[in-house]
Amino acid sequence: MTLAAGTELATATNEHLANISNTLIYSAMAVYTLAFFAYIAEWLFGSRSKVARTAAALTTEAKGSKAPAVTVNKAGGTAVLERPKVVVRASAGARDVPDGPGAHGGDEQGDLYGRIAISLSVLAYLVHLGGVIARAASVERAPWGNMYEFNITFSAVAVTVYLVLLALKKNVRWLGLFLITTVLLDLGIAVTVLYTASDQLVPALHSYWLYIHVSTAILCGAVFYVGAVGTLLYLFKDSYETKLENGGTPGRFATSFLERLPASSSLDKFSYRINAAVFPLWTFTIIAGAIWAESAWGRYWGWDPKETWAFITWVAYACYLHARATAGWKGRKAAYLALIAFGCWLFNYYGVNIFVSGKHSYAGV
């Protein structure tokens, strides 16, 4: 076989792999869409459950009305027990609210749809992952050399984080609908606006630091996203609990939706732990980028727009973590800082890559 024939064969093979990757990504989007509707069904059937009535009963009991007794079977007979007292506020003024039952709201059919949604999410994730791997094979390098590849890899890693948390028995099933919605939007933007044909990188970027620096940036972004969703929901749940505490009556939709989520304290703790766990890795990402910059461009730091916004993001998350350790800045104030920090990360990716020119604008989109 001649050299020219070998080159043509390799090119044809790479194009075939790129087509396979595209087909798998579109197939994953189709399955993610089915999962999206299953998650919607879970929330809808959950809204028909006894969540709102249970919440009303607890509120009535908290106001001093006499609660009915509970009858249970015991050793072939019947025993009557007093209904256990539900503590909804701690004595020191801090809330002590139990977590909600989840998106299914305690409804059996809602729970079934939730399980179907998770199964579809796993299937879509496997197809999605296959698309990312096929893209990597078609370009013969790491599949994050441009914004299209970064997007499809980022969304796959975000789903990985969600599934790992589920596998670890963490109470995060409520995250499914929000995550899958975002993944569909992300992949939709990738295939319609950001799509770039398979191509090689510029020589300066042929380095093992591509695998180290960019992979950690993708992982950090996925985890920061999960933390941001938790923070946003915390703000809504905290407002809901505050309204109840002050004697207000939230709307039917707010009650049905928010009562099923974890308590605001649980959401706040979840978001904090997620962000705190990944912050050291984001620090390493910036350091790794500086080392790679010295190898590629002969300097560690040059205040390139991407470098500048990576540092701004680091400062924003550092301020959030410091605020969480400061008594006067816990709660909503710290949550606002967390959302600002994630906003900085988003701008560092989309804003800098699309609207700002710099050394990192090597691949267009």
Side-chain angles (χ1 to χ4, degrees):
M1 181 181 294
T2 64
L3 180 61
T7 302
E8 290 179 1
L9 179 60
T11 301
T13 301
N14 290 343
E15 289 179 355
H16 180 63
L17 288 170
N19 291 334
I20 291 176
S21 172
N22 296 340
T23 301
L24 289 174
I25 294 298
Y26 278 107
S27 300
M29 291 176 65
V31 183
Y32 277 131
T33 301
L34 294 177
F36 169 80
F37 284 117
Y39 280 117
I40 289 289
E42 179 185 20
W43 281 95
L44 287 177
F45 279 98
S47 69
R48 297 165 51 185
S49 70
K50 300 178 180 179
V51 173
R53 280 175 287 177
T54 301
L58 293 178
T59 303
T60 302
E61 182 180 347
K63 291 180 179 179
S65 63
K66 185 176 180 180
V70 179
T71 303
V72 297
N73 294 325
K74 185 178 180 181
T78 301
V80 179
L81 306 175
E82 288 188 9
R83 183 174 179 173
K85 184 179 180 181
V86 179
V87 180
V88 294
R89 305 287 177 229
S91 58
R95 297 185 184 122
D96 185 19
V97 182
D99 290 343
H104 54 81
D107 181 85
E108 204 171 309
Q109 195 166 7
D111 182 62
L112 174 62
Y113 278 108
R115 294 178 184 277
I116 293 173
I118 291 174
S119 299
L120 289 171
S121 298
V122 173
L123 176 59
Y125 166 73
L126 294 175
V127 177
H128 185 175
L129 189 61
V132 174
I133 293 172
R135 177 71 178 200
S138 72
V139 295
E140 300 178 353
R141 57 167 170 78
W144 44 73
N146 51 57
M147 289 186 70
Y148 168 74
E149 294 172 358
F150 192 102
N151 266 42
I152 63 174
T153 306
F154 168 80
S155 52
V157 174
V159 179
T160 302
V161 173
Y162 171 61
L163 295 179
V164 167
L165 290 174
L166 284 177
L168 294 175
K169 307 297 183 183
K170 302 298 181 182
N171 178 22
V172 294
R173 209 165 101 179
W174 48 268
L175 183 62
L177 177 60
F178 309 99
L179 174 70
I180 298 305
T181 302
T182 307
V183 167
L184 282 171
L185 290 173
D186 183 67
L187 291 178
I189 292 172
V191 300
T192 57
V193 179
L194 303 176
Y195 182 77
T196 304
S198 300
D199 200 2
Q200 296 302 311
L201 297 176
V202 296
L205 299 179
H206 283 286
S207 170
Y208 59 87
W209 285 106
L210 173 69
Y211 296 89
I212 299 173
H213 171 65
V214 184
S215 63
T216 54
I218 292 173
L219 177 58
C220 289
V223 178
F224 282 148
Y225 163 75
V226 171
V229 173
T231 300
L232 188 63
L233 292 178
Y234 155 73
L235 291 172
F236 282 109
K237 189 63 180 280
D238 181 68
S239 296
Y240 173 79
E241 291 176 0
T242 300
K243 191 169 187 177
L244 285 179
E245 188 176 31
N246 294 332
T249 305
R252 181 180 298 177
F253 175 78
T255 299
S256 175
F257 175 74
L258 294 172
E259 275 294 332
R260 286 179 272 168
L261 293 175
S264 63
S265 58
S266 297
L267 289 168
D268 185 39
K269 193 178 300 182
F270 169 78
S271 302
Y272 169 67
R273 288 175 175 174
I274 284 285
N275 289 324
V278 80
F279 181 73
L281 188 60
W282 181 247
T283 305
F284 170 77
T285 301
I286 296 176
I287 295 172
I291 296 173
W292 189 15
E294 195 280 331
S295 174
W297 300 316
R299 90 294 188 274
Y300 289 101
W301 196 268
W303 295 106
D304 180 79
K306 177 72 73 172
E307 296 167 349
T308 301
W309 276 95
F311 179 68
I312 290 173
T313 302
W314 184 90
V315 171
Y317 273 107
C319 290
Y320 162 71
L321 295 176
H322 177 71
R324 286 281 297 154
T326 305
W329 275 83
K330 285 184 178 179
R332 298 184 69 87
K333 292 180 180 179
Y336 292 137
L337 282 178
L339 292 180
I340 290 172
F342 184 67
C344 291
W345 187 92
L346 283 179
F347 182 79
N348 185 36
Y349 174 52
Y350 286 103
V352 172
N353 281 0
I354 296 175
F355 303 112
V356 183
S357 298
K359 285 185 175 293
H360 288 78
S361 303
Y362 54 86
V365 297

